[in-house]
Amino acid sequence: MRAVPPLIAIVKDPDAKVRANAAEALGNFPNEHAQSAKPLLALLSDDNVDVRRAAILALGKVGKGDKAITDTVRTYTDDPDPLTKTAAAVALAGMVKMEEADVPALFGALNSQNSVIAKAATRALGAYGRDNPDKILPGLTEYLDKKEQPGFGNALRALRQMKEGAHSLAPKLAAAYDSMDAVSKADIADSLVLMDPEGQYAIPVLLKALKEPEALDRKEALMNLMRYRPKVELFLDGIIERLDDPDLDNKLLAIGIIRGLGKKASAAAPKLMELTKNPDVRVRIPAISALGSLDTTPQVFETFERTIKDPDFRVRTATISALKNAGAADPKRAMDILEHALNSEKHESAVRSLDSTLESLKHPKPAR
């Protein structure tokens, strides 16, 4: 691995922070154990405690299966520095089979201000919890109850690793949502999606997230709701409300979701018809396309009669495509609109599209 030799040189840098960062980076190359282990072992004698902790954590990644390295790291579980002891416990959790006796030390690290140690402990607890949820859920519950960072966020990350194994805590997280800050709310929503496959607790929280002030939070909620597509009736109204989202990307995402839902989302037709009058062509075009995927009503055809005369040929072309879909329900009405448009259409591409669509409606292919 070409990245390893330069890192080996950097671990001798006079700046302790640089040495610590280099040690942490070396831990990302476990397949280069032969090259990375020696400089990391040397850093265990560094005069800076942060460097020693970083080296211990990195050895936990590159030394798996190496008894000599494991034994060396184990000696630091009795270090007088509490964070160094925790780093050793975290490193060992990645090197050997984790035992229940290792859990308390890892729990202590979740609230550490040393983000490297805290994240490593979180990963170890989450991995252990997948097979032993009863051993760590009570401890994680304590962090959730305290609602203090960084422990709260790290507890959520561990729960996300456990996925459905952490489902018993879903009601607690859902109940906590309203009282949390914006970052924690986003973490709760993401966690519930993984923990709650049926959506009993996740869907109500995601509907709340659809109304958060930050556009990115609303976007995440829109995308996460699609995991529960078979239960669309529970959240369709929330998606329809986002058709009025002030953020263009979210508005377009909501339109795309409605189109993908097809006839199940036909309740969105009135709002989509309004959007076909939007001054932004980037909104009019997808709104028309989405309308074509819904149940076709007289009002929808009236909308297409108007949009097929739009000044922008791309909007007219989108209407032609939508009429091809709508024509399956009422081919005569669709063909009347298309033929009338053909008499006045001047744009070459739109004319070809009109001809092709009319032909397909006059001579539909038999259903297979």
Side-chain angles (χ1 to χ4, degrees):
M1 187 74 67
R2 288 181 294 174
V4 172
L7 288 173
I8 293 175
I10 295 173
V11 297
K12 299 178 182 179
D13 193 277
D15 188 322
K17 187 174 183 179
V18 173
R19 297 198 301 277
N21 289 339
E24 182 182 346
L26 279 172
N28 295 322
F29 299 96
N31 294 331
E32 302 300 313
H33 164 271
Q35 293 185 67
S36 55
K38 185 175 179 180
L40 287 172
L41 288 167
L43 287 177
L44 294 178
S45 301
D46 197 279
D47 58 1
N48 184 280
V49 67
D50 289 327
V51 175
R52 297 198 298 272
R53 292 170 188 157
I56 290 170
L57 289 171
L59 284 168
K61 296 180 179 180
V62 305
K64 189 173 184 177
D66 188 314
K67 185 177 183 303
I69 292 179
T70 301
D71 290 344
T72 298
V73 171
R74 199 182 300 279
T75 64
Y76 288 87
T77 57
D78 293 323
D79 196 274
D81 174 64
L83 276 180
T84 300
K85 289 174 63 174
T86 302
V90 171
L92 286 170
M95 300 170 75
V96 297
K97 184 178 180 180
M98 187 171 159
E99 302 293 341
E100 187 175 353
D102 302 321
V103 171
L106 297 178
F107 269 124
L110 288 189
N111 215 31
S112 171
Q113 295 302 316
N114 184 310
S115 61
V116 176
I117 290 177
K119 288 179 181 178
T122 299
R123 288 194 296 270
L125 281 171
Y128 181 71
R130 282 197 292 267
D131 297 322
N132 307 277
D134 57 314
K135 299 293 193 303
I136 74 164
L137 287 180
L140 294 176
T141 300
E142 290 184 18
Y143 276 106
L144 296 180
D145 288 339
K146 291 177 182 176
K147 299 180 181 178
E148 297 174 356
Q149 298 291 3
F152 183 89
N154 287 328
L156 286 179
R157 292 182 186 93
L159 291 173
R160 287 201 287 274
Q161 284 184 255
M162 296 171 62
K163 297 183 179 179
E164 294 177 39
H167 182 266
S168 62
L169 292 185
K172 178 180 286 292
L173 289 181
Y177 182 85
D178 291 337
S179 64
M180 302 305 295
D181 60 78
V183 173
S184 297
K185 282 182 174 181
D187 282 343
I188 287 174
D190 288 342
S191 300
L192 283 172
V193 167
L194 296 175
M195 296 161 58
D196 184 23
E198 297 301 316
Q200 180 181 0
Y201 302 100
I203 290 175
V205 166
L206 291 172
L207 286 172
K208 292 178 180 180
L210 285 179
K211 299 180 180 181
E212 291 293 341
E214 289 296 325
L216 182 58
D217 292 333
R218 300 195 300 274
K219 180 179 181 180
E220 290 291 329
L222 282 168
M223 294 189 295
N224 279 330
L225 278 168
M226 286 303 94
R227 293 173 178 261
Y228 303 102
R229 182 169 176 161
K231 298 185 176 183
V232 64
E233 71 279 359
L234 298 179
F235 57 84
L236 178 59
D237 287 347
I239 301 292
I240 293 174
E241 286 181 13
R242 287 304 98 207
L243 293 174
D244 282 329
D245 199 288
D247 180 82
L248 178 61
D249 287 342
N250 283 344
K251 186 189 296 287
L252 296 179
L253 177 58
I255 294 173
I257 289 172
I258 294 295
R259 181 182 181 186
L261 290 171
K263 298 186 185 303
K264 291 182 179 180
S266 291
K271 181 59 63 177
L272 288 172
M273 286 188 280
E274 288 181 23
L275 291 179
T276 64
K277 300 176 183 178
N278 192 286
D280 191 334
V281 69
R282 293 173 296 177
V283 175
R284 298 204 302 280
I285 290 173
I288 291 166
S289 297
L291 267 178
S293 69
L294 307 184
D295 285 331
T296 307
T297 64
Q299 292 77 19
V300 169
F301 276 120
E302 288 171 9
T303 299
F304 291 153
E305 285 179 333
R306 171 174 52 78
T307 60
I308 206 166
K309 301 172 186 175
D310 193 278
D312 193 302
F313 87 92
R314 294 169 296 178
V315 175
R316 301 197 299 274
T317 301
T319 304
I320 295 166
S321 296
L323 279 165
K324 183 175 183 180
N325 294 330
D330 190 343
K332 183 179 185 306
R333 182 74 185 274
M335 286 190 290
D336 285 346
I337 296 172
L338 292 165
E339 287 172 345
H340 188 268
L342 188 60
N343 293 329
S344 57
E345 181 59 62
K346 303 299 182 183
H347 195 280
E348 185 177 340
S349 176
V351 169
R352 288 197 301 268
S353 183
L354 281 164
D355 284 333
S356 174
T357 302
L358 279 166
E359 183 65 22
S360 68
L361 289 174
K362 289 176 182 177
H363 305 287
K365 294 181 180 179
R368 294 184 179 180

